[in-house]
Amino acid sequence: MSLFIASLNSGSNGNCYYVGNEHEAVLVDAGISCRETERRMLRLGLSMRKVKAIFVSHEHSDHINGIPILAKKYQLPVYITPPTLRSGGLFIDDQLINSFRPFETITIGGLNITPFPKQHDASDPYSFTITSAGVTVGVFTDVGIACENLIRHFRLCHAAFLEANYDDEMLDKGGYPYHLKRRIRGGNGHLSNKQAAELFTAHKPPFMSHLLLSHLSKNNNDPLLVQDLFDGCADGVNIIVASRYHETEVYHITGTHIAGTSKKNGAIDLKPVQTSLF
């Protein structure tokens, strides 16, 4: 068993992450429209028929905007805590709403999804790990600080979506007001490139094969800068910078990675496996 992962969009204009095995999948957040979610999955050779649930990290609009229509159209269960549901003002059919508790694993087919609390300026924010047959993928964005919860779960991951939101110098010199800069840098804001790189180099497990750097700021970051920083400390991990404008490739996470080996630019030839995803 293995996992297939993709970022459908990543940034303040919308976040949506796909994680699935050969039989079923989940979305973590759905901050782009239903139509755009469908278009991007179609271009990747992914089928909405395999998506069995949406997991919601927190109530900010760039993570929830697409949920009501997407859930209604496909009758998808939405896993969301009561505080997040109230704060987000979402209108979702009652029969589709499912709550969850920290550290309690939810099983959907062959997928095991484990939520854990994170530091962010939201009512009840969570990160997630998704495991299938011993292969684990983490979704760690909108994180104010690399707390012990994050470190512990990051060490379990064969692949991860990890926030690298801002470059310190660009934020300092940018036009954001002081209070917003302070919010971004605060322990309930976002991870900087430097903080993300420190987490990665100090705590990546030897079996990690892919790191998808996510939720980059449009105004306070540069994808080329992020790619260069992480390529310098990759140690064989495939580094991919997720875009705020389009989907990534689908990456096949097998759990067989050996530290110090990687494919060029983190890309893998997905043509032989795409047909199995329909």
Side-chain angles (χ1 to χ4, degrees), residues 30-207:
I32 55 177
S33 70
C34 176
R35 181 175 297 180
E36 196 60 32
T37 300
E38 292 169 333
R39 286 173 176 168
R40 295 181 185 206
M41 288 187 61
L42 181 62
R43 289 198 294 260
L44 290 172
L46 300 172
S47 172
M48 280 300 303
R49 292 194 300 272
K50 284 194 173 179
V51 177
K52 305 303 181 185
I54 302 170
F55 283 78
V56 185
S57 66
H58 64 293
E59 72 270 17
H60 292 164
S61 60
D62 53 319
H63 296 261
I64 66 172
N65 278 344
I67 291 175
I69 295 176
L70 194 65
K72 183 174 183 178
K73 181 174 181 178
Y74 293 98
Q75 289 297 288
L76 293 174
V78 177
Y79 286 83
I80 185 169
T81 66
T84 298
L85 181 62
R86 288 193 300 268
S87 298
L90 290 172
F91 294 97
I92 303 171
D93 292 344
D94 289 344
Q95 70 269 20
L96 298 178
I97 296 173
N98 296 266
S99 187
F100 59 81
R101 296 172 60 86
F103 308 109
E104 291 187 359
T105 297
I106 298 157
T107 298
I108 297 177
L111 303 175
N112 294 307
I113 302 93
T114 303
F116 65 90
K118 63 182 178 182
Q119 299 293 115
H120 193 56
D121 57 354
S123 59
D124 193 24
Y126 283 84
S127 291
F128 302 94
T129 59
I130 300 96
T131 299
S132 180
V135 179
T136 297
V137 170
V139 182
F140 312 130
T141 71
D142 297 75
V143 179
I145 191 170
C147 65
E148 286 303 313
N149 280 342
L150 175 56
I151 291 170
R152 179 160 56 89
H153 287 85
F154 188 78
R155 288 172 171 167
L156 302 175
C157 291
H158 297 85
F161 299 88
L162 177 64
E163 175 171 79
N165 181 256
Y166 65 93
D167 171 74
D168 285 290
E169 185 176 355
M170 290 181 69
L171 182 62
D172 283 337
K173 294 180 177 179
Y176 281 12
Y178 173 74
H179 70 86
L180 182 54
K181 293 180 181 181
R182 185 176 179 181
R183 171 187 169 268
I184 292 168
R185 275 206 170 99
N188 290 315
H190 294 277
L191 282 187
S192 70
N193 298 345
K194 180 181 177 182
Q195 289 172 312
E198 288 173 349
L199 171 67
F200 174 64
T201 55
H203 301 292
K204 67 177 182 294
F207 46 79

Side-chain angles (χ1 to χ4, degrees), residues 260-273:
T261 64
S262 67
K263 294 181 182 288
K264 185 178 180 181
N265 297 326
I268 54 178
D269 184 3
L270 289 163
K271 300 303 182 185
V273 302

